[in-house]
Amino acid sequence: MPDPGAVLTRNWLHFGRILRGLGFDAGPARMLPFLTALTVIDLHRADDLRTAVHIHFARRRDELAILDRALTAFLRGNAPNVDSPSSSATTSSERGVTITGRQLRVLDDDGAAEGAEEQEVASYSQAEVLREKDFDTLTEAEMTEVRRLIRLMRLPAGLARSRRARAGGHDQLDMRRLLRRSLRFGGELLVFSWKSPTLRPRPLVLLCDISGSMERYTRLLLNFAYALKNASTRVEAFVFATRLTRITRLLRSHDVDAALNRVMTSVDDWSGGTRIGDAIETFNRRYARRVLSHGATVAIISDGWDRGDATQMRRAIARLQRSCHRLIWMNPLMGAPGYEPLTLGLQAALPFVDDFLPAHNLANLEALGILLLATAGRRPVRRQTLLTASA
């Protein structure tokens, strides 16, 4: 007979994997105290179990509902009532569960966990298909589902070193504290003090193209901007067509539809022409000093169709790259077979873009989070620098 405690621990570790897939911090530093809490609470009391999950994994009030749905799905319940949490915590579908099937699929390394059997669910295959399906081919029902999945995304911003240091660690000597402490011992350096840099989320600036050529993607991109903004306080969002509009404050709402409606009514050039160079130049002049001062990453989402001057585009994008930590351009047209960035605007901009990525499906948007996490601590080597060095 397998040890019931070991089976229980293994099953709740699966729950941690689901939470990490949803973007929650469910690493060992949080899972170990959570597992300890499970040994002292009554697992047959649903309220106690939910409270333990909230305390250990929630960062903001609006995440409580997501945690509740994840917990309910994990325990195979369609209501908050939990009959037997200590028994087999298997996964299944729940009507309205707002997590993807990929995140719900829980398996042991050998694919046959005792007490945690795999169950094929309809939402699993559907969500997996939608992740890879081109936005341009979605039906209205699929578009609605993708918008819902986007709103639940929690992309990691990555951590950057702050100029301020904190006491502790062994990165470097804290000379000020070292000398101050030496006064206790007549000037003798007997107690060494150390300090380490403070880590904080790297800011992200999102510039979304809402021109006529991007009309099919606009609502999805606004949902993406809403998800990013509500997942982190260090996100700035702008939209542009013929002019630039800052929408950061408009997205501050618990009601996504109300927030997006405010954006749509506040933007004058919705589905108009495109002047990317002019919009970026406006950003450089009016906002760059304010929002890029702490080493922000900039992500532009646009198909690159531009009616403006290519020379202006080249000048504006070069200045933007110099001002930010990393410049990313995401293009929804990159999913088309045989696509090449041949427009004059893109040809002028690409030499100054650090990462040129696709943005035609849900998996592409998730990949942005992976890139942000992997590159948060290092600045890219600019192509212009390499060309100058080789000349």
Side-chain angles (χ1 to χ4, degrees):
M1 289 290 292
D3 181 5
V7 173
L8 178 65
T9 299
R10 188 186 321 174
N11 289 340
W12 284 109
L13 289 176
H14 287 316
F15 181 64
R17 290 172 55 189
I18 291 176
L19 295 186
R20 287 195 295 275
L22 286 167
F24 287 94
D25 180 6
R30 289 184 181 270
M31 284 302 298
L32 290 176
F34 173 67
L35 293 174
T36 302
L38 295 182
T39 65
V40 297
I41 67 173
D42 184 354
L43 294 180
H44 293 85
R45 294 178 59 88
D47 289 342
D48 290 353
L49 187 57
R50 283 199 299 271
T51 299
V53 172
H54 292 174
I55 290 174
H56 289 88
F57 302 110
R59 295 162 295 186
R60 298 188 315 278
R61 185 181 297 274
D62 61 347
E63 292 180 341
L64 299 181
I66 300 175
L67 287 169
D68 286 343
R69 290 174 175 176
L71 178 62
T72 302
F74 182 71
L75 298 173
R76 296 192 63 190
N78 291 325
N81 180 42
V82 181
D83 294 331
S84 181
S86 60
S87 63
S88 61
T90 60
T91 63
S92 69
S93 62
E94 176 202 6
R95 185 174 183 83
V97 173
T98 52
I99 50 182
T100 66
R102 178 175 60 88
Q103 294 155 345
L104 283 175
R105 192 178 189 183
V106 179
L107 292 171
D108 256 354
D109 293 337
D110 58 0
E114 294 167 320
E117 61 188 61
E118 176 189 5
Q119 184 172 356
E120 294 293 336
V121 294
S123 61
Y124 175 80
S125 58
Q126 179 186 14
E128 285 300 295
V129 170
L130 288 180
R131 285 186 68 254
E132 303 293 340
K133 194 168 184 178
D134 196 314
F135 291 147
D136 199 39
T137 64
L138 296 176
T139 64
E140 288 302 320
E142 291 173 335
M143 187 76 76
T144 301
E145 177 67 10
V146 167
R147 285 199 294 264
R148 184 179 65 82
L149 294 175
I150 288 176
R151 290 198 295 268
L152 294 173
M153 293 175 65
R154 294 293 183 268
L155 298 186
L159 298 176
R161 290 193 173 196
S162 170
R163 294 180 180 178
R164 294 187 176 183
R166 60 178 178 83
H170 289 83
D171 285 44
Q172 61 184 104
L173 281 172
D174 188 339
M175 296 302 298
R176 180 176 297 180
R177 295 184 65 204
L178 175 63
L179 295 176
R180 188 165 58 245
R181 286 185 173 183
S182 70
L183 298 179
R184 305 176 186 176
F185 309 102
E188 294 289 337
L189 304 179
L190 299 180
V191 180
F192 286 83
S193 299
W194 300 86
K195 62 181 180 180
S196 301
T198 301
L199 298 179
R200 61 183 181 185
R202 184 173 292 281
L204 175 65
V205 177
L206 196 64
L207 302 174
C208 294
D209 186 345
I210 57 167
S211 62
S213 62
M214 290 282 292
E215 187 172 7
R216 177 67 175 171
Y217 308 97
T218 299
R219 189 82 182 183
L220 290 173
L221 295 181
L222 288 180
N223 277 270
F224 186 53
Y226 175 86
L228 290 176
K229 176 57 188 170
N230 284 273
S232 173
T233 58
R234 309 200 76 191
V235 174
E236 288 282 346
F238 298 81
V239 294
F240 65 88
T242 57
R243 68 188 69 177
L244 183 76
T245 304
R246 182 173 180 260
I247 63 170
T248 306
R249 292 183 179 178
L250 299 176
L251 296 176
R252 293 175 183 169
S253 173
H254 292 293
D255 187 339
V256 58
D257 293 322
L260 298 187
N261 287 334
R262 283 200 301 270
V263 171
M264 296 176 70
T265 56
S266 301
V267 177
D268 297 327
D269 55 342
W270 195 274
S271 295
T274 317
R275 295 187 178 275
I276 304 176
D278 188 59
I280 294 177
E281 196 170 75
T282 301
F283 175 84
N284 290 336
R285 185 174 63 254
R286 295 182 55 186
Y287 300 102
R289 185 182 296 273
R290 186 192 324 170
V291 302
L292 300 182
S293 58
H294 294 94
T297 297
V298 176
I300 301 173
I301 306 181
S302 171
D303 56 9
W305 288 102
D306 184 31
R307 294 182 179 180
D309 180 29
T311 302
Q312 180 189 35
M313 165 77 90
R314 181 182 179 87
R315 183 174 60 248
I317 203 78
R319 178 180 172 184
L320 178 60
Q321 188 201 37
R322 290 194 301 269
S323 303
C324 67
H325 168 75
R326 194 177 196 96
L327 181 56
I328 302 169
W329 190 305
M330 302 186 72
N331 190 334
L333 297 183
M334 288 182 68
Y339 169 78
E340 293 184 21
L342 300 178
T343 62
L344 292 178
L346 275 178
Q347 288 292 311
L350 284 181
F352 304 95
V353 173
D354 298 311
D355 301 281
F356 190 51
L357 306 175
H360 60 275
N361 59 32
L362 191 59
N364 296 153
L365 300 185
E366 294 174 349
L368 175 62
I370 299 175
L371 177 64
L372 294 176
L373 187 62
T375 61
R378 65 180 189 273
R379 192 182 182 101
V381 178
R382 307 299 194 191
R383 299 176 187 176
Q384 310 86 278
T385 304
L386 294 176
L387 292 175
T388 302
S390 62

